[in-house]
Amino acid sequence: MAKDLLVFGTLGFDSVTTPFGKIERGFGGSGAFAAVAASHFIRPAMVGAIGKDFDPAFIDVLEKRRIDTSGLFQKNGKSFSWKAHYGFDVNTAFTDEVDPSILFDYDPVVPERFHSSRFVLLGNSSPDHQLRVLDQIRPKPLLSVCDTMNYYIEKEPAKVKHMVRTAHIGLMNDAEARQLFNTPNLRKAANEILDLDSRFAIIKKGEHGAVLFTRKGFFSVPGYPLENVRDPTGCGDSFAGAFLGYLAQQENQHEKNVRKAMVWGSVVASFNAEDFSFKRQLELTKTDLRDRYNEFKSFVRF
Amino acid sequence: MAKDLLVFGTLGFDSVTTPFGKIERGFGGSGAFAAVAASHFIRPAMVGAIGKDFDPAFIDVLEKRRIDTSGLFQKNGKSFSWKAHYGFDVNTAFTDEVDPSILFDYDPVVPERFHSSRFVLLGNSSPDHQLRVLDQIRPKPLLSVCDTMNYYIEKEPAKVKHMVRTAHIGLMNDAEARQLFNTPNLRKAANEILDLDSRFAIIKKGEHGAVLFTRKGFFSVPGYPLENVRDPTGCGDSFAGAFLGYLAQQENQHEKNVRKAMVWGSVVASFNAEDFSFKRQLELTKTDLRDRYNEFKSFVRF
């Protein structure tokens, strides 16, 4: 079971200040958020690079969630770190410092025991690394999802598009989709993702929810109106992780289940924003998750 | 029937440039958009001020929609006019010129035949005028809805709050709600509206839809992902007009119908954005409206 979902992405230290508090060198990273979110539904395995300074307590966090960390590779150098602050409007993060040096000269080797993973989540990272990971999965996975971010869209848009074309589902946030396809119109951007042979295009809109686009139509899940948002860091990654974690557990990955997965992604992401790092996610029970899922059901009913 | 819904707001000339075209001195104004949108469901009556330069063709537009224009008051001076442009991201209007002089020394007298209106929509205008209109309705209406805008929130926030307290439903867009209650958090802002004795708080979020808040919960209607947005001017007013136009036709105004009214508001607003001024709204058939309503139903189902 543990090898059914493979999560690739960054792991490291997040130092974040919001109007509601701060955290110094807390546990974060796209792979970390995605794997923890997925672990509410499945036992994922991770691939990613960590530095010599990586906090062993972070590994404990993952292992307590029964995440397989044996694919993490400890390299010389410092772990990925990110320092940022959010203003009054917590929708936008302002990056103060980032140290991505751990990703230089990194070849993301997937241990052989994970080569047959049926589900693969390629979290925010360089498209070269994402492609390299996906290329090692044989036979091709049943479903692969790739995220991306502005840094790579600016630097190598053609490679990002190639990555989207190679994965089954292209997923990104609204600003990224607008930037990658040079249009303010999300539906046009989504059609461009679909034109890259994506089975589904998923556009995350932060506090405004997320939209799933298919050739035939769309499905929209509104944002959960949280009364207390303490730190939105990792919500997009958590959405992706919970989305694929849920979906990997289903009998099929048809649109009906994909829609439900969108809601589960939103459920976990909404909890994630309620506190720093994994504080809120780690205390969640099945009942908390189910209750909020039912709330989503009731608040779109008409 | 015609007196069941009274719409108050501005009427005048809109000159708008978007990346997709422009219009010079087209028909617009908060009252005009609200009344036309309401007319898909009911025959509203209007109260508002127009200048000597008002285009008689605009009156024809309203009368063809069977809107009662006998409460419009023609004053000396120029009609309300607004010149604005939208950039690449059509969510934000940049005002270039506005002439609100018609509203100075204007006393919005409601003709006696409309004093018993059961439903009253107080479109964007000064809170003094809104209160004056509402005060003339005897007995108190069954349901009154008030909108507002940044100009009055900055100038006289206490009066805007008094207006919200006096009407049954406070409705505003997200930026306005954040500004009026000095919080980035929409749920907190909505709670403040409810604390002003609003039966429901409605927050419009432009392309991201709208949210209805009650003491017990909320209802969220996502934005319709339009492929072609030509001009979003008047969408918020159209939402409000269709919302109350639909609701005024229902047996009761309980939450179940209020939720449906939110969707009808979104349906009409989404069409409104497809072309300049009333171009799209005036060609809509019952079938167009019903089809899009059903689309909304299908795109939130999970």
Side-chain angles (χ1 to χ4, degrees):
Chain A
M1 179 72 94
K3 68 178 175 181
D4 267 356
L5 172 61
L6 186 70
V7 174
F8 171 68
T10 59
L11 302 88
F13 297 100
D14 280 353
S15 299
V16 177
T17 304
T18 79
F20 313 104
K22 62 189 293 182
I23 188 166
E24 288 286 341
R25 290 174 73 76
F27 187 18
S30 64
F33 279 108
V36 170
S39 75
H40 297 295
F41 306 94
I42 198 171
R43 293 166 64 183
M46 293 186 79
V47 166
I50 56 178
K52 292 294 179 199
D53 60 349
F54 199 71
D55 190 337
F58 294 172
I59 299 291
D60 289 346
V61 165
L62 299 174
E63 292 190 341
K64 275 199 186 127
R65 300 290 316 171
R66 305 170 78 193
I67 294 164
D68 186 334
T69 62
S70 66
L72 297 181
F73 178 63
Q74 194 158 33
K75 279 181 72 202
N76 279 324
K78 286 188 178 176
S79 297
F80 193 93
S81 69
W82 183 65
K83 189 177 175 185
H85 67 277
Y86 295 83
F88 182 68
D89 175 353
V90 290
N91 282 313
T92 313
F94 299 94
T95 295
D96 301 309
E97 279 173 45
V98 60
D99 180 356
S101 56
I102 190 79
L103 305 179
F104 305 158
D105 306 311
Y106 167 51
D107 178 28
V109 173
V110 177
E112 201 175 330
R113 61 192 174 284
F114 303 136
H115 282 191
S116 58
S117 299
R118 292 188 310 149
F119 296 88
V120 179
L121 177 54
L122 303 160
N124 269 332
S125 194
S126 89
D128 278 335
H129 287 175
Q130 292 175 315
L131 284 160
R132 172 84 174 100
V133 168
L134 194 50
D135 200 47
Q136 295 166 73
I137 311 301
R138 294 280 171 227
K140 282 187 184 297
L142 207 55
L143 198 65
S144 55
V145 176
C146 72
D147 201 348
T148 186
M149 66 181 292
N150 53 355
Y151 177 77
Y152 300 105
I153 291 172
E154 282 155 31
K155 214 176 112 190
E156 38 195 16
K159 268 194 192 155
V160 171
K161 286 180 186 172
H162 179 56
M163 176 68 252
V164 171
R165 190 185 286 280
T166 309
H168 294 110
I169 298 184
L171 167 117
M172 57 194 78
N173 75 32
D174 45 0
E176 289 155 1
R178 289 181 164 122
Q179 189 179 18
L180 184 57
F181 301 106
N182 193 34
T183 171
N185 187 293
L186 289 183
R187 191 154 174 186
K188 283 185 179 158
N191 284 339
E192 297 256 18
I193 295 175
L194 294 171
D195 284 345
L196 293 173
D197 296 334
S198 246
R199 202 178 297 171
F200 300 99
I202 297 176
I203 298 193
K204 301 176 286 181
K205 304 198 298 173
E207 68 160 331
H208 301 298
V211 190
L212 172 80
F213 292 87
T214 70
R215 283 275 165 219
K216 282 186 277 179
F218 42 85
F219 168 68
S220 193
V221 52
Y224 183 86
L226 281 173
E227 185 142 6
N228 291 299
V229 174
R230 296 196 75 196
D231 178 12
T233 303
C235 284
D237 306 311
S238 299
F239 173 91
F243 171 84
L244 200 53
Y246 170 80
L247 209 45
Q249 288 287 50
Q250 306 314 305
E251 288 232 335
N252 66 60
Q253 286 68 43
H254 299 163
E255 187 176 334
K256 196 176 169 185
N257 284 329
V258 174
R259 287 182 172 219
K260 288 180 182 172
M262 294 277 294
V263 179
W264 283 113
S266 304
V267 164
V268 175
S270 71
F271 279 119
N272 183 69
E274 291 182 5
D275 215 330
F276 288 86
S277 187
F278 294 105
K279 217 167 157 188
R280 187 72 178 105
Q281 275 208 57
L282 295 182
E283 66 187 19
L284 291 177
T285 65
K286 294 275 175 217
T287 308
D288 293 331
L289 292 164
R290 171 58 64 181
D291 285 351
R292 188 157 292 180
Y293 183 87
N294 288 334
E295 257 195 286
F296 269 87
K297 256 204 178 321
S298 76
F299 82 65
V300 299
R301 190 177 293 134
F302 67 89
Chain B
M1 180 72 96
K3 68 179 177 182
D4 268 356
L5 173 61
L6 185 69
V7 174
F8 171 68
T10 58
L11 302 88
F13 297 100
D14 280 353
S15 298
V16 177
T17 305
T18 79
F20 313 104
K22 63 188 293 183
I23 188 167
E24 288 286 342
R25 289 174 74 77
F27 188 16
S30 64
F33 280 109
V36 170
S39 75
H40 296 296
F41 305 94
I42 199 171
R43 294 164 64 182
M46 295 186 79
V47 166
I50 56 178
K52 292 296 180 199
D53 61 347
F54 199 70
D55 190 337
F58 294 172
I59 298 291
D60 289 348
V61 165
L62 299 174
E63 293 190 340
K64 275 201 187 128
R65 299 292 313 171
R66 304 170 79 194
I67 294 164
D68 186 334
T69 62
S70 66
L72 297 181
F73 178 62
Q74 195 158 31
K75 277 182 73 200
N76 278 324
K78 285 188 177 176
S79 297
F80 193 94
S81 69
W82 182 65
K83 189 177 174 184
H85 66 276
Y86 296 82
F88 183 67
D89 176 352
V90 290
N91 282 312
T92 312
F94 299 94
T95 295
D96 301 309
E97 278 173 45
V98 60
D99 180 356
S101 56
I102 191 79
L103 304 179
F104 304 158
D105 305 313
Y106 167 51
D107 178 29
V109 172
V110 178
E112 202 175 327
R113 63 192 173 282
F114 303 136
H115 282 192
S116 57
S117 298
R118 292 189 309 150
F119 296 88
V120 178
L121 178 54
L122 302 159
N124 269 331
S125 192
S126 89
D128 278 334
H129 286 175
Q130 293 175 314
L131 283 161
R132 173 84 173 100
V133 168
L134 194 51
D135 200 46
Q136 294 167 73
I137 312 301
R138 295 280 171 226
K140 282 187 185 295
L142 207 55
L143 198 65
S144 55
V145 176
C146 72
D147 202 345
T148 187
M149 66 181 292
N150 53 355
Y151 177 77
Y152 299 106
I153 291 172
E154 282 156 29
K155 213 176 111 187
E156 38 194 16
K159 268 193 193 155
V160 170
K161 286 181 187 172
H162 179 56
M163 176 68 254
V164 171
R165 189 185 287 280
T166 309
H168 294 111
I169 298 183
L171 167 119
M172 57 194 78
N173 75 31
D174 46 0
E176 290 155 0
R178 289 181 163 121
Q179 189 180 18
L180 184 58
F181 302 107
N182 194 33
T183 171
N185 186 292
L186 289 183
R187 191 155 175 184
K188 283 184 178 159
N191 284 338
E192 297 255 19
I193 294 174
L194 293 172
D195 284 345
L196 293 173
D197 296 334
S198 247
R199 203 179 294 170
F200 300 99
I202 297 176
I203 298 193
K204 299 175 289 181
K205 305 198 296 175
E207 69 161 330
H208 301 298
V211 190
L212 171 80
F213 292 87
T214 69
R215 284 273 164 222
K216 283 186 276 182
F218 41 86
F219 167 68
S220 194
V221 51
Y224 183 86
L226 281 172
E227 186 142 6
N228 290 299
V229 175
R230 297 196 75 196
D231 178 13
T233 303
C235 284
D237 306 311
S238 299
F239 173 91
F243 171 83
L244 200 53
Y246 171 80
L247 209 46
Q249 288 286 50
Q250 306 312 307
E251 287 231 336
N252 66 59
Q253 286 68 43
H254 299 163
E255 187 176 335
K256 195 175 170 188
N257 283 329
V258 174
R259 287 181 172 220
K260 289 181 181 170
M262 294 277 295
V263 180
W264 282 113
S266 304
V267 165
V268 175
S270 72
F271 279 119
N272 184 69
E274 291 182 6
D275 215 328
F276 289 86
S277 187
F278 293 105
K279 219 168 155 189
R280 187 73 179 106
Q281 275 209 56
L282 295 182
E283 66 187 20
L284 291 176
T285 65
K286 293 274 175 216
T287 307
D288 293 331
L289 292 163
R290 170 59 63 181
D291 285 351
R292 188 158 291 178
Y293 183 87
N294 288 334
E295 256 195 286
F296 269 87
K297 257 206 178 317
S298 77
F299 82 65
V300 298
R301 191 177 293 133
F302 67 90

PDB file of all heavy atoms in Angstrom, chain A residues 209-228:
ATOM      1  N   GLY A 209     -11.109  29.098  -3.394  1.00  0.00           N
ATOM      2  CA  GLY A 209     -11.404  27.729  -3.767  1.00  0.00           C
ATOM      3  C   GLY A 209     -10.600  27.230  -4.947  1.00  0.00           C
ATOM      4  O   GLY A 209      -9.467  27.666  -5.175  1.00  0.00           O
ATOM      5  N   ALA A 210     -11.188  26.324  -5.696  1.00  0.00           N
ATOM      6  CA  ALA A 210     -10.476  25.706  -6.811  1.00  0.00           C
ATOM      7  C   ALA A 210     -11.484  25.297  -7.872  1.00  0.00           C
ATOM      8  O   ALA A 210     -12.658  25.067  -7.578  1.00  0.00           O
ATOM      9  CB  ALA A 210      -9.696  24.485  -6.321  1.00  0.00           C
ATOM     10  N   VAL A 211     -11.013  25.242  -9.112  1.00  0.00           N
ATOM     11  CA  VAL A 211     -11.892  24.862 -10.217  1.00  0.00           C
ATOM     12  C   VAL A 211     -11.242  23.735 -11.018  1.00  0.00           C
ATOM     13  O   VAL A 211     -10.047  23.770 -11.306  1.00  0.00           O
ATOM     14  CB  VAL A 211     -12.175  26.056 -11.162  1.00  0.00           C
ATOM     15  CG1 VAL A 211     -13.282  25.694 -12.162  1.00  0.00           C
ATOM     16  CG2 VAL A 211     -12.574  27.301 -10.383  1.00  0.00           C
ATOM     17  N   LEU A 212     -12.063  22.757 -11.330  1.00  0.00           N
ATOM     18  CA  LEU A 212     -11.659  21.633 -12.172  1.00  0.00           C
ATOM     19  C   LEU A 212     -12.249  21.846 -13.560  1.00  0.00           C
ATOM     20  O   LEU A 212     -13.449  22.092 -13.692  1.00  0.00           O
ATOM     21  CB  LEU A 212     -12.249  20.352 -11.570  1.00  0.00           C
ATOM     22  CG  LEU A 212     -12.127  19.070 -12.376  1.00  0.00           C
ATOM     23  CD1 LEU A 212     -10.737  18.473 -12.207  1.00  0.00           C
ATOM     24  CD2 LEU A 212     -13.183  18.060 -11.914  1.00  0.00           C
ATOM     25  N   PHE A 213     -11.418  21.761 -14.571  1.00  0.00           N
ATOM     26  CA  PHE A 213     -11.905  21.917 -15.937  1.00  0.00           C
ATOM     27  C   PHE A 213     -11.707  20.614 -16.698  1.00  0.00           C
ATOM     28  O   PHE A 213     -10.657  19.980 -16.580  1.00  0.00           O
ATOM     29  CB  PHE A 213     -11.127  23.018 -16.670  1.00  0.00           C
ATOM     30  CG  PHE A 213     -11.379  24.404 -16.141  1.00  0.00           C
ATOM     31  CD1 PHE A 213     -10.626  24.899 -15.087  1.00  0.00           C
ATOM     32  CD2 PHE A 213     -12.361  25.211 -16.693  1.00  0.00           C
ATOM     33  CE1 PHE A 213     -10.851  26.180 -14.598  1.00  0.00           C
ATOM     34  CE2 PHE A 213     -12.586  26.492 -16.215  1.00  0.00           C
ATOM     35  CZ  PHE A 213     -11.836  26.985 -15.159  1.00  0.00           C
ATOM     36  N   THR A 214     -12.715  20.260 -17.473  1.00  0.00           N
ATOM     37  CA  THR A 214     -12.594  19.123 -18.382  1.00  0.00           C
ATOM     38  C   THR A 214     -12.955  19.650 -19.774  1.00  0.00           C
ATOM     39  O   THR A 214     -13.355  20.793 -19.928  1.00  0.00           O
ATOM     40  CB  THR A 214     -13.576  17.991 -18.015  1.00  0.00           C
ATOM     41  OG1 THR A 214     -14.913  18.432 -18.321  1.00  0.00           O
ATOM     42  CG2 THR A 214     -13.482  17.643 -16.547  1.00  0.00           C
ATOM     43  N   ARG A 215     -12.859  18.792 -20.753  1.00  0.00           N
ATOM     44  CA  ARG A 215     -13.261  19.187 -22.107  1.00  0.00           C
ATOM     45  C   ARG A 215     -14.744  19.539 -22.152  1.00  0.00           C
ATOM     46  O   ARG A 215     -15.186  20.319 -22.996  1.00  0.00           O
ATOM     47  CB  ARG A 215     -12.999  18.025 -23.078  1.00  0.00           C
ATOM     48  CG  ARG A 215     -11.553  17.873 -23.441  1.00  0.00           C
ATOM     49  CD  ARG A 215     -11.183  18.796 -24.605  1.00  0.00           C
ATOM     50  NE  ARG A 215      -9.733  18.907 -24.711  1.00  0.00           N
ATOM     51  CZ  ARG A 215      -9.102  20.036 -25.007  1.00  0.00           C
ATOM     52  NH1 ARG A 215      -9.768  21.159 -25.219  1.00  0.00           N
ATOM     53  NH2 ARG A 215      -7.797  20.063 -25.084  1.00  0.00           N
ATOM     54  N   LYS A 216     -15.510  18.915 -21.248  1.00  0.00           N
ATOM     55  CA  LYS A 216     -16.960  19.078 -21.345  1.00  0.00           C
ATOM     56  C   LYS A 216     -17.539  20.120 -20.402  1.00  0.00           C
ATOM     57  O   LYS A 216     -18.670  20.558 -20.572  1.00  0.00           O
ATOM     58  CB  LYS A 216     -17.638  17.723 -21.087  1.00  0.00           C
ATOM     59  CG  LYS A 216     -17.578  16.810 -22.291  1.00  0.00           C
ATOM     60  CD  LYS A 216     -18.379  15.546 -22.077  1.00  0.00           C
ATOM     61  CE  LYS A 216     -17.575  14.512 -21.301  1.00  0.00           C
ATOM     62  NZ  LYS A 216     -18.291  13.264 -21.044  1.00  0.00           N
ATOM     63  N   GLY A 217     -16.793  20.506 -19.383  1.00  0.00           N
ATOM     64  CA  GLY A 217     -17.373  21.438 -18.423  1.00  0.00           C
ATOM     65  C   GLY A 217     -16.433  21.719 -17.278  1.00  0.00           C
ATOM     66  O   GLY A 217     -15.211  21.626 -17.426  1.00  0.00           O
ATOM     67  N   PHE A 218     -17.010  22.037 -16.146  1.00  0.00           N
ATOM     68  CA  PHE A 218     -16.153  22.360 -15.018  1.00  0.00           C
ATOM     69  C   PHE A 218     -16.870  22.077 -13.714  1.00  0.00           C
ATOM     70  O   PHE A 218     -18.084  21.843 -13.672  1.00  0.00           O
ATOM     71  CB  PHE A 218     -15.691  23.814 -15.086  1.00  0.00           C
ATOM     72  CG  PHE A 218     -16.751  24.776 -15.480  1.00  0.00           C
ATOM     73  CD1 PHE A 218     -17.609  25.310 -14.542  1.00  0.00           C
ATOM     74  CD2 PHE A 218     -16.908  25.128 -16.810  1.00  0.00           C
ATOM     75  CE1 PHE A 218     -18.613  26.186 -14.917  1.00  0.00           C
ATOM     76  CE2 PHE A 218     -17.910  26.007 -17.191  1.00  0.00           C
ATOM     77  CZ  PHE A 218     -18.762  26.537 -16.242  1.00  0.00           C
ATOM     78  N   PHE A 219     -16.093  22.072 -12.668  1.00  0.00           N
ATOM     79  CA  PHE A 219     -16.606  21.857 -11.316  1.00  0.00           C
ATOM     80  C   PHE A 219     -15.893  22.853 -10.420  1.00  0.00           C
ATOM     81  O   PHE A 219     -14.672  22.994 -10.477  1.00  0.00           O
ATOM     82  CB  PHE A 219     -16.296  20.432 -10.862  1.00  0.00           C
ATOM     83  CG  PHE A 219     -16.529  20.216  -9.385  1.00  0.00           C
ATOM     84  CD1 PHE A 219     -17.814  20.256  -8.867  1.00  0.00           C
ATOM     85  CD2 PHE A 219     -15.461  19.989  -8.521  1.00  0.00           C
ATOM     86  CE1 PHE A 219     -18.029  20.064  -7.506  1.00  0.00           C
ATOM     87  CE2 PHE A 219     -15.673  19.790  -7.163  1.00  0.00           C
ATOM     88  CZ  PHE A 219     -16.955  19.823  -6.657  1.00  0.00           C
ATOM     89  N   SER A 220     -16.658  23.519  -9.607  1.00  0.00           N
ATOM     90  CA  SER A 220     -16.083  24.575  -8.801  1.00  0.00           C
ATOM     91  C   SER A 220     -16.302  24.268  -7.330  1.00  0.00           C
ATOM     92  O   SER A 220     -17.421  23.967  -6.919  1.00  0.00           O
ATOM     93  CB  SER A 220     -16.773  25.882  -9.167  1.00  0.00           C
ATOM     94  OG  SER A 220     -16.080  26.965  -8.644  1.00  0.00           O
ATOM     95  N   VAL A 221     -15.244  24.317  -6.557  1.00  0.00           N
ATOM     96  CA  VAL A 221     -15.401  24.169  -5.109  1.00  0.00           C
ATOM     97  C   VAL A 221     -15.011  25.507  -4.482  1.00  0.00           C
ATOM     98  O   VAL A 221     -13.903  26.013  -4.704  1.00  0.00           O
ATOM     99  CB  VAL A 221     -14.604  22.964  -4.552  1.00  0.00           C
ATOM    100  CG1 VAL A 221     -13.165  22.977  -4.981  1.00  0.00           C
ATOM    101  CG2 VAL A 221     -14.685  22.907  -3.029  1.00  0.00           C
ATOM    102  N   PRO A 222     -15.955  26.117  -3.774  1.00  0.00           N
ATOM    103  CA  PRO A 222     -15.662  27.436  -3.201  1.00  0.00           C
ATOM    104  C   PRO A 222     -14.681  27.326  -2.050  1.00  0.00           C
ATOM    105  O   PRO A 222     -14.476  26.253  -1.493  1.00  0.00           O
ATOM    106  CB  PRO A 222     -17.023  27.930  -2.705  1.00  0.00           C
ATOM    107  CG  PRO A 222     -17.906  26.745  -2.633  1.00  0.00           C
ATOM    108  CD  PRO A 222     -17.308  25.640  -3.451  1.00  0.00           C
ATOM    109  N   GLY A 223     -14.072  28.430  -1.706  1.00  0.00           N
ATOM    110  CA  GLY A 223     -13.210  28.445  -0.540  1.00  0.00           C
ATOM    111  C   GLY A 223     -14.032  28.304   0.727  1.00  0.00           C
ATOM    112  O   GLY A 223     -15.201  28.674   0.756  1.00  0.00           O
ATOM    113  N   TYR A 224     -13.422  27.761   1.755  1.00  0.00           N
ATOM    114  CA  TYR A 224     -14.097  27.669   3.045  1.00  0.00           C
ATOM    115  C   TYR A 224     -13.873  28.991   3.770  1.00  0.00           C
ATOM    116  O   TYR A 224     -12.718  29.375   3.984  1.00  0.00           O
ATOM    117  CB  TYR A 224     -13.513  26.511   3.850  1.00  0.00           C
ATOM    118  CG  TYR A 224     -14.205  26.303   5.177  1.00  0.00           C
ATOM    119  CD1 TYR A 224     -15.338  25.518   5.263  1.00  0.00           C
ATOM    120  CD2 TYR A 224     -13.734  26.914   6.344  1.00  0.00           C
ATOM    121  CE1 TYR A 224     -15.993  25.334   6.462  1.00  0.00           C
ATOM    122  CE2 TYR A 224     -14.378  26.733   7.549  1.00  0.00           C
ATOM    123  CZ  TYR A 224     -15.506  25.943   7.603  1.00  0.00           C
ATOM    124  OH  TYR A 224     -16.156  25.770   8.798  1.00  0.00           O
ATOM    125  N   PRO A 225     -14.926  29.715   4.123  1.00  0.00           N
ATOM    126  CA  PRO A 225     -14.706  31.034   4.752  1.00  0.00           C
ATOM    127  C   PRO A 225     -14.236  30.889   6.195  1.00  0.00           C
ATOM    128  O   PRO A 225     -15.025  30.854   7.126  1.00  0.00           O
ATOM    129  CB  PRO A 225     -16.084  31.706   4.691  1.00  0.00           C
ATOM    130  CG  PRO A 225     -16.992  30.776   3.947  1.00  0.00           C
ATOM    131  CD  PRO A 225     -16.361  29.420   3.962  1.00  0.00           C
ATOM    132  N   LEU A 226     -12.944  30.791   6.346  1.00  0.00           N
ATOM    133  CA  LEU A 226     -12.355  30.637   7.680  1.00  0.00           C
ATOM    134  C   LEU A 226     -12.478  31.926   8.476  1.00  0.00           C
ATOM    135  O   LEU A 226     -12.250  33.008   7.953  1.00  0.00           O
ATOM    136  CB  LEU A 226     -10.870  30.309   7.557  1.00  0.00           C
ATOM    137  CG  LEU A 226     -10.494  28.885   7.228  1.00  0.00           C
ATOM    138  CD1 LEU A 226      -8.986  28.807   6.973  1.00  0.00           C
ATOM    139  CD2 LEU A 226     -10.886  27.931   8.352  1.00  0.00           C
ATOM    140  N   GLU A 227     -12.786  31.775   9.745  1.00  0.00           N
ATOM    141  CA  GLU A 227     -12.828  32.964  10.594  1.00  0.00           C
ATOM    142  C   GLU A 227     -11.415  33.326  11.047  1.00  0.00           C
ATOM    143  O   GLU A 227     -11.084  34.486  11.210  1.00  0.00           O
ATOM    144  CB  GLU A 227     -13.728  32.718  11.811  1.00  0.00           C
ATOM    145  CG  GLU A 227     -13.878  33.973  12.637  1.00  0.00           C
ATOM    146  CD  GLU A 227     -15.273  34.158  13.193  1.00  0.00           C
ATOM    147  OE1 GLU A 227     -16.096  33.232  13.030  1.00  0.00           O
ATOM    148  OE2 GLU A 227     -15.537  35.207  13.782  1.00  0.00           O
ATOM    149  N   ASN A 228     -10.586  32.305  11.227  1.00  0.00           N
ATOM    150  CA  ASN A 228      -9.216  32.571  11.661  1.00  0.00           C
ATOM    151  C   ASN A 228      -8.209  31.897  10.753  1.00  0.00           C
ATOM    152  O   ASN A 228      -8.046  30.684  10.791  1.00  0.00           O
ATOM    153  CB  ASN A 228      -9.015  32.092  13.105  1.00  0.00           C
ATOM    154  CG  ASN A 228      -9.795  32.967  14.066  1.00  0.00           C
ATOM    155  OD1 ASN A 228      -9.564  34.172  14.161  1.00  0.00           O
ATOM    156  ND2 ASN A 228     -10.762  32.369  14.747  1.00  0.00           N
TER     157      ASN A 228
END
